[in-house]
Amino acid sequence: VNLFEFKIVLVPIHVGACHWALCAIDNQSRTISYYDSLSSAGDSSNRDMDALQTFIEAEYTQRVGEIPEKYKTSYAKTPRQENFSDCGVFVCFLGRRLARGETCEAPARLISKMRYQMSRELLASKLFPEDFLKDKTMAECLVYTTSAKCGIQNLNNTCFMSSTLQLLFHCEPFLKIIRGPQVPNIKGESILGELNDAYDNYINSNVLVPSKLVEVLSGLLPRYERGQQYDAEEFLNFLLQRVSKEVRECAQTFQSSMNIQLTCLECKAKVDVIEHSVMLPLSINKCRSVQD
């Protein structure tokens, strides 16, 4: 992809462990603008823009030729979020505005409502006007946008857990495991009971607030620290392995085995090994659809 064929290129920036900002590369004005809804210019943003500068120069040289002049950098005036969990919403809002060539100035409260609007847009598979929820209170936004599907509330960067649970709670084989007859009889430190209770709340309410589940996971997962972001795939792997310790059927259902033959490059000796995994990476480079 030749990035310089586009008028503007949007680059989400993961800042530290739990924050998102946005860089916009404008190929017409040859500028890199940094948008951060939480903080001002600093060492981190300077490094990010320096890295983009280096990337642009190398990419331009490869795609077009010698770059006539460096792209100018600037810290753009950005609406300020009023909490510590809306940075991703602000990035999406700013990206939407920039892609349309519109100003990024807007009341923070309006942008916070975009979280609910985006969930509705995903369900409807179309974009709505920005004033779609303008006259609704935050409570009304919550009820209106979650009436079709149940959501899982983000408890300060628990989106990795929410997305994984959302997936598993719609996976019939997994539900049979956590809803099985063995669950009420499990004593002591167990994740099955909490998953079962969480699913009860999930199907009987508009929004699941997984406070107890997060608390239990904090004790079971030594690496987990509240407020930090983690990889959803790693969490899925941990959760399935943990459930497999309590219910053998989980391993039988989700674990795969691969027979691999290793060959020594020197003596050419061959050895067969079996690897177990709950993940199966697939290459989608040449796929054009889900069916492919």
Side-chain angles (χ1 to χ4, degrees):
V1 177
N2 186 351
L3 300 179
F4 305 100
E5 294 178 350
F6 298 91
K7 177 182 177 181
I8 189 169
V9 178
L10 302 175
V11 184
I13 303 293
H14 194 196
V15 183
C18 55
H19 182 53
W20 287 93
L22 180 69
C23 274
I25 303 172
D26 191 321
N27 287 318
Q28 290 188 341
S29 63
R30 292 182 176 274
T31 58
I32 304 174
S33 300
Y34 193 93
Y35 296 85
D36 192 330
S37 59
L38 193 59
S39 60
S40 303
D43 292 340
S44 177
S45 54
N46 289 332
R47 286 195 300 270
D48 293 333
M49 287 202 288
D50 287 344
L52 277 177
Q53 276 275 26
T54 302
F55 169 76
I56 288 173
E57 291 178 18
E59 192 73 7
Y60 194 96
T61 301
Q62 180 181 353
R63 300 281 183 178
V64 183
E66 185 178 353
I67 190 167
E69 60 178 341
K70 282 189 174 183
Y71 277 52
K72 298 177 182 178
T73 59
S74 66
Y75 296 94
K77 184 178 180 180
T78 310
R80 286 287 185 256
Q81 62 189 81
E82 298 177 337
N83 53 39
F84 293 101
S85 58
D86 274 350
C87 55
V89 178
F90 273 67
V91 166
C92 292
F93 170 81
L94 294 169
R96 180 188 297 219
R97 282 283 185 93
L98 290 168
R100 292 173 172 173
E102 300 172 351
T103 174
C104 291
E105 295 183 9
R109 192 162 295 275
L110 171 63
I111 301 176
S112 294
K113 289 182 180 180
M114 290 295 293
R115 175 187 298 276
Y116 305 105
Q117 179 167 328
M118 286 190 292
S119 67
R120 195 68 182 184
E121 289 172 338
L122 288 171
L123 291 171
S125 298
K126 65 178 182 180
L127 297 177
F128 298 127
E130 284 183 7
D131 59 356
F132 180 62
L133 298 174
K134 180 179 179 181
D135 298 325
K136 295 185 180 296
T137 65
M138 296 299 280
E140 289 172 335
C141 289
L142 182 61
V143 173
Y144 181 74
T145 55
T146 57
S147 57
K149 300 286 183 180
C150 178
I152 301 179
Q153 184 173 327
N154 185 353
L155 301 178
N156 193 8
N157 290 321
T158 56
C159 48
F160 70 95
M161 183 183 73
S162 298
S163 59
T164 303
L165 292 177
Q166 199 93 17
L167 169 71
L168 292 174
F169 283 169
H170 290 273
C171 178
E172 194 63 34
F174 184 78
L175 292 180
K176 288 181 179 179
I177 293 170
I178 68 170
R179 307 289 280 178
Q182 75 281 356
V183 174
N185 300 321
I186 293 179
K187 306 294 183 181
E189 196 177 63
S190 168
I191 194 67
L192 272 181
E194 294 304 329
L195 287 170
N196 192 44
D197 292 343
Y199 183 73
D200 280 335
N201 293 328
Y202 181 80
I203 61 177
N204 292 313
S205 61
N206 285 330
V207 178
L208 168 64
V209 183
S211 304
K212 185 66 183 300
L213 186 57
V214 169
E215 181 182 338
V216 172
L217 287 171
S218 300
L220 296 180
L221 187 56
R223 288 178 49 204
Y224 177 72
E225 294 181 21
R226 291 289 295 271
Q228 299 297 312
Q229 289 186 347
Y230 292 89
D231 184 78
E233 182 179 325
E234 290 182 1
F235 176 71
L236 174 62
N237 187 43
F238 158 77
L239 195 60
L240 291 177
Q241 288 184 356
R242 178 69 198 192
V243 173
S244 296
K245 290 182 179 180
E246 301 180 22
V247 183
R248 184 178 300 178
E249 182 186 350
C250 185
Q252 295 171 343
T253 302
F254 291 98
Q255 192 176 80
S256 63
S257 299
M258 298 179 64
N259 295 321
I260 301 175
Q261 187 176 77
L262 302 177
T263 303
C264 178
L265 296 178
E266 294 182 0
C267 67
K268 306 302 179 183
K270 300 180 184 296
V271 60
D272 294 323
V273 296
I274 299 177
E275 286 193 358
H276 301 285
S277 174
V278 295
M279 302 295 171
L280 182 61
L282 298 175
S283 175
I284 59 173
N285 292 338
K286 298 181 180 180
C287 297
R288 296 183 178 181
S289 66
V290 176
Q291 287 73 23
D292 292 342

